[in-house]
Amino acid sequence: MKRIGVLGGTFDPIHLGHLTHAEQVREQLALDEMRLMPAHIPPHRASPQVDAVERAQLVRLALTDYPQLTLDERELGRQKPSYTVDSLAALRAESGPTVGLYFVMGMDSLCAINQWHQWQQLIELANLVILARPEVAPPAPGSEVGRFVQDFGCTRAALLARPHGGIWMMDALHLPVSATDIRAALAAGRSARQWLTPAVADYVEAHKLYVALADERHS
Ligand SMILES: Nc1ncnc2c1ncn2[C@@H]1O[C@H](COP(=O)(O)OP(=O)(O)OP(=O)(O)O)[C@@H](O)[C@H]1O
Ligand SMILES: O=C(O)c1ccc[n+]([C@@H]2O[C@H](COP(=O)([O-])O)[C@@H](O)[C@H]2O)c1
């Protein structure tokens, strides 16, 4: 069975947490493809500081150090909120019913998944791979999301055999980094190089992304 993984994100900016996690999922599930899919208009959060074209450019730069990962640009062209259900439906239509699809998200995303657009359809289209974030507790067993995990949770072996319909809590090496921390460091004039690939760090510094004063850009 062919298997395709997708890590969706705002990637404002893309960092080593995203990349190492995507890489671990690719290895642990023996994926044929592992895609990074930047959101154009991320639902349920404030507008990103950097526009989608430039965030995608940062992903391209990051992938020069991670050639086993690829960029999925499907959300960039859509002039409406980047609902994951739309992207997975399009990917399912392209790939056919028997390909294994694996949508990857951190525990913070899982905890709020019942707020997502048409969230119960997601599991009809793909499997979900959840990465722990130690600062975020798993959903409480009696909650709506807790019951969702109970109903669809499965082992890695079961997940490998399913085109869709399973949730797997992956035990991954965690990098304690977030894009929020990176933006805050850069806005305060500190370096964030340790959390970025060299090419991304060079671009961010050269273009003065995330500095406190917007008019410092392009100066
Ligand atoms: N260090 C990390 N460990 C595990 N998952 C992560 C990590 N950073 C991001 N993710 C997951 O990657 C996906 C995309 O994340 P996103 O682009 O929002 O990055 P972020 O670092 O969480 O950003 P922000 O701090 O701006 O919310 C989400 O599902 C998120 O949970
Ligand atoms: O489809 C939705 O309603 C939805 C709501 C919130 C987040 N998402 C997706 O979840 C991924 C991570 O989102 P974020 O905001 O944590 O970067 C990204 O691909 C978003 O498009 C999707």
Side-chain angles (χ1 to χ4, degrees), residues 33-85:
E33 290 178 44
M34 179 68 219
R35 306 180 182 192
L36 301 181
M37 184 172 72
H40 179 195
I41 304 173
H44 303 149
R45 64 188 276 160
S47 295
Q49 288 196 16
V50 167
D51 74 32
V53 171
E54 205 161 27
R55 286 183 284 111
Q57 176 60 13
L58 293 177
V59 174
R60 266 185 221 100
L61 289 170
L63 297 188
T64 59
D65 284 314
Y66 287 79
Q68 21 354 351
L69 307 177
T70 56
L71 171 65
D72 187 319
E73 299 185 76
R74 76 184 58 242
E75 292 188 347
L76 300 179
R78 287 207 310 257
Q79 303 302 319
K80 63 173 204 167
S82 306
Y83 294 126
T84 300
V85 71

Side-chain angles (χ1 to χ4, degrees), residues 16-186:
L16 296 181
H18 300 128
L19 293 159
T20 56
H21 277 105
E23 184 48 19
Q24 288 180 76
V25 176
R26 189 187 70 81
E27 282 177 7
Q28 288 212 29
L29 294 178
L31 299 177
D32 297 284
E33 290 178 44
M34 179 68 219
R35 306 180 182 192
L36 301 181
M37 184 172 72
H40 179 195
I41 304 173
H44 303 149
R45 64 188 276 160
S47 295
Q49 288 196 16
V50 167
D51 74 32
V53 171
E54 205 161 27
R55 286 183 284 111
Q57 176 60 13
L58 293 177
V59 174
R60 266 185 221 100
L61 289 170
L63 297 188
T64 59
D65 284 314
Y66 287 79
Q68 21 354 351
L69 307 177
T70 56
L71 171 65
D72 187 319
E73 299 185 76
R74 76 184 58 242
E75 292 188 347
L76 300 179
R78 287 207 310 257
Q79 303 302 319
K80 63 173 204 167
S82 306
Y83 294 126
T84 300
V85 71
D86 294 341
S87 306
L88 291 179
L91 185 55
R92 175 56 75 198
E94 276 166 34
S95 53
T98 57
V99 166
L101 296 183
Y102 299 87
F103 190 76
V104 181
M105 66 179 78
M107 188 65 81
D108 54 322
S109 297
L110 175 69
C111 287
I113 199 170
N114 57 341
Q115 312 298 316
W116 291 24
H117 187 58
Q118 298 176 348
W119 71 283
Q120 279 158 330
Q121 283 188 33
L122 297 168
I123 200 78
E124 307 288 332
L125 294 165
N127 296 291
L128 303 182
V129 177
I130 314 301
L131 305 166
R133 297 190 82 171
E135 68 279 16
V136 183
S143 65
E144 192 173 32
V145 179
R147 288 196 301 277
F148 177 61
V149 171
Q150 213 166 4
D151 290 348
F152 294 102
C154 68
T155 62
R156 174 180 169 277
L159 197 85
L160 286 173
R162 285 180 189 172
H164 63 89
I167 300 177
W168 182 51
M169 301 286 181
M170 181 174 139
D171 193 8
L173 173 72
H174 177 71
L175 283 194
V177 56
S178 71
T180 302
D181 294 342
I182 291 169
R183 292 192 300 271
L186 292 165

